[in-house]
Amino acid sequence: MRKKIIAGNWKMNKTPSGTVTLINELKPLVATEDADVVFCVPAISLTLAIEAAKGSNIQIGAENMHFEESGAYTGEIAPNMLTDIGVKYVIIGHSERREYFAETDVTVNKKVLKAFEHGITPIICCGESLIQREQGVTIDFIRQQIKIAFLSVTADQAKKAVIAYEPIWAIGTGKVATTEQAQEVCKAVRGCIEEIYDAATAAAIRIQYGGSVTAGSAAELFSQPDIDGGLVGGASLKPDFGKIVNYK
C-alpha cells in the first residue's frame, strides 16, 4: 500500500514572516499519520519554514533547484545548499518553469539525477496543454516527458521518486480534470514506469494529481487506484488545505 503524499506548491507567495504565520496556522490542521505532508515554499523562506515546521509532520521542499553543485549561475540554488538547511523535497519541471524559464525535458532529467545524488526526493512534474489534449496526444506527450526525466535513473531511485501529473489547462484556472481523466493519465504514467523498469518499481512509485485540487474534489481524486495524493497550488495557502490532507 502506497502512502499518500500531499504537497503544497506555494509558488511566488508569502513573505518569510507570512510563511511562519501560515505554517503555524496549518500545523494542527494537517496533522495526520495517513499521508506525507510537504510544503514547497519560496527559496527565501526555506530556512524559516524548516524551523517553523519542527516538531510537526510537515516536511519542507524547494520549488526549484539547479543541476550544478556551484558556479556562475546568478540567482540559482545548488542542491547542497538545500540539503545543508534540511530540505527533503524539490519540485522539478513544473509547467510554469518550462513555460516561463525555458526548462526542457533534458534539464529536468539533469535536475532529477542531481536531486537523487544529494538524497533529495524529486517531485517530477508532467502535463499536457489544452491543445495537446484536444488533439488526442496527451498520453504520447506525457510518456515522452517521463521517459526523458528518468533517463539513467536507477530502479531503486525511481521507487523513491514522486511524479505529479498536472494538466496545464487546469493549473490555476479553476478547471479540474474529471476523475476519469486524471486516473487515465496517472495509470498511463505508472504503465510507462513499468516499461522502463518493472512491475515492482511501478507499484512503488507515488503519482500525484495536481491542477486546482480543492477540498471538494480531493476525496474522489485520491480514491483512484493510481492517484497517490496531490500537488496543490492556491488551496495550499488556505486553511482548507487541512481538509485536502484529511480528505477521508
Side-chain angles (χ1 to χ4, degrees):
M1 177 68 73
R2 295 181 298 272
K3 189 176 185 180
K4 293 287 192 281
I5 176 167
I6 301 171
N9 177 14
W10 287 21
K11 306 190 180 184
M12 196 175 70
N13 291 293
K14 295 297 176 183
T15 62
S17 60
T19 294
V20 173
T21 299
L22 183 57
I23 289 177
N24 286 330
E25 181 181 5
L26 289 175
K27 273 195 285 193
L29 304 180
V30 302
T32 179
E33 295 182 357
D34 295 333
D36 289 332
V37 179
V38 183
F39 290 169
C40 296
V41 308
I44 195 171
S45 301
L46 284 169
T47 302
L48 285 173
I50 289 168
E51 187 64 30
K54 280 184 178 177
S56 74
N57 63 312
I58 298 168
Q59 299 184 76
I60 301 300
E63 297 179 12
N64 185 38
M65 181 197 78
H66 202 276
F67 51 78
E68 294 289 356
E69 305 276 341
S70 63
Y73 302 103
T74 302
E76 289 291 333
I77 300 172
N80 54 315
M81 296 176 183
L82 297 178
T83 56
D84 190 67
I85 60 172
V87 170
K88 302 297 185 184
Y89 290 83
V90 62
I91 298 173
I92 295 177
H94 192 279
S95 63
E96 290 159 1
R97 296 293 313 173
R98 296 176 190 254
E99 179 179 358
Y100 303 131
F101 303 103
E103 291 212 4
T104 67
D105 291 339
V106 172
T107 58
V108 166
N109 174 245
K110 289 181 177 181
K111 291 183 179 188
V112 169
L113 292 171
K114 189 57 68 171
F116 279 125
E117 185 180 324
H118 284 266
I120 305 171
T121 300
I123 300 174
I124 305 162
C125 298
C126 62
E128 83 283 12
S129 67
L130 183 59
I131 291 175
Q132 288 162 336
R133 173 158 286 278
E134 289 177 341
Q135 293 304 309
V137 298
T138 293
I139 301 301
D140 290 338
F141 178 73
I142 288 173
R143 281 170 55 84
Q144 174 180 302
Q145 289 183 312
I146 295 300
K147 288 197 170 188
I148 297 175
F150 281 84
L151 186 65
S152 300
V153 174
T154 69
D156 285 342
Q157 289 173 331
K159 289 175 183 175
K160 300 172 186 175
V162 178
I163 298 174
Y165 165 56
E166 290 197 310
I168 297 169
W169 48 269
I171 298 174
T173 63
K175 297 179 180 178
V176 183
T178 66
T179 303
E180 292 75 20
Q181 288 172 325
Q183 164 59 21
E184 177 190 26
V185 177
C186 290
K187 181 179 180 181
V189 169
R190 200 174 302 283
C192 186
I193 293 295
E194 183 171 356
E195 282 182 27
I196 299 170
Y197 300 104
D198 49 44
T201 304
I205 198 166
R206 294 189 288 182
I207 303 172
Q208 300 173 312
Y209 170 76
S212 300
V213 175
T214 66
S217 63
E220 185 175 354
L221 284 165
F222 299 168
S223 67
Q224 299 305 301
D226 291 294
I227 300 178
D228 305 311
L231 182 59
V232 183
S236 68
L237 299 166
K238 304 172 184 176
D240 261 11
F241 189 59
K243 297 178 183 177
I244 295 174
V245 170
N246 296 285
Y247 61 92
K248 294 180 181 178

